[in-house]
Amino acid sequence: MAITIRSVTPEDAQAWLAMREQLGVEWVIPGFEREIEAFFETGLIDNLPHAVFIAEDGDRAVGVAEVSLRQFAEGCETSPVGFLEGWFVESSHRGRGVGRALVDAGMRWAKSQGCTEFGSDAEMDNTGSQAAHESIGFERVCEIICYRRSIG
């Protein structure tokens, strides 16, 4: 069966949330269900313009990509810049071009918003994500280590 890529609709909210949860603990944000509802009204997540795309195999969601417009992204020289905030493809559909198709949809959206660059990131220890990015044409531009310190 052919994979279809389309913009997310309110009927996709539960599938979107379920796939987001599979991205990892940092993507499980309390109250995100309300943010999904607000997204359908405003087009914003975390006060940034977003587009969200779903990959379907028949009538089953098998992938998702969240794309935003940021004022800045590491290694990019223009503003605004399209940014791949997160993407997920079910393991049964990996290696079949689903991730690439989701990212391509996000890039088309970013271009339609006036962007000429598209950024993304991956955790330093997430070699699978790094390999996926590089396999579809992203180039590594920098590595950073972030710090925090409690003040309380």
Side-chain angles (χ1 to χ4, degrees):
M1 186 168 287
I3 302 295
T4 303
I5 307 296
R6 62 173 176 75
S7 294
V8 71
T9 66
E11 292 75 26
D12 300 313
Q14 289 305 312
W16 176 12
L17 185 60
M19 287 186 282
R20 193 176 226 266
E21 289 171 349
Q22 293 182 65
L23 280 169
V25 68
E26 65 275 4
W27 283 88
V28 180
I29 300 169
F32 190 70
E33 297 89 347
R34 288 186 299 283
E35 284 196 46
I36 288 175
E37 291 173 17
F39 166 78
F40 289 115
E41 294 175 13
T42 66
L44 302 174
I45 299 175
D46 293 332
N47 294 315
L48 293 175
H50 269 68
V52 180
F53 299 95
I54 290 283
E56 285 183 319
D57 186 352
D59 62 355
R60 189 172 72 105
V62 297
V64 66
E66 297 181 22
V67 180
S68 73
L69 293 182
R70 290 187 175 188
Q71 293 305 306
F72 171 82
E74 295 290 343
C76 294
E77 299 174 358
T78 60
S79 182
V81 60
F83 196 85
L84 181 61
E85 296 289 348
W87 56 326
F88 174 81
V89 176
E90 287 189 0
S91 59
S92 62
H93 286 72
R94 292 180 187 159
R96 297 174 43 192
V98 177
R100 178 186 299 270
L102 284 163
V103 173
D104 286 349
M107 290 175 63
R108 284 190 300 276
W109 175 79
K111 186 174 183 178
S112 78
Q113 303 299 305
C115 298
T116 58
E117 292 181 288
F118 196 72
S120 187
D121 58 20
E123 296 288 330
M124 290 181 78
D125 62 347
N126 190 341
T127 56
S129 179
Q130 293 170 29
H133 278 83
E134 292 170 19
S135 75
I136 62 171
F138 280 94
E139 63 179 299
R140 187 178 297 225
V141 293
C142 68
E143 292 184 26
I144 63 171
I145 298 173
C146 300
Y147 296 93
R148 73 172 284 282
R149 182 175 172 188
S150 178
I151 58 174

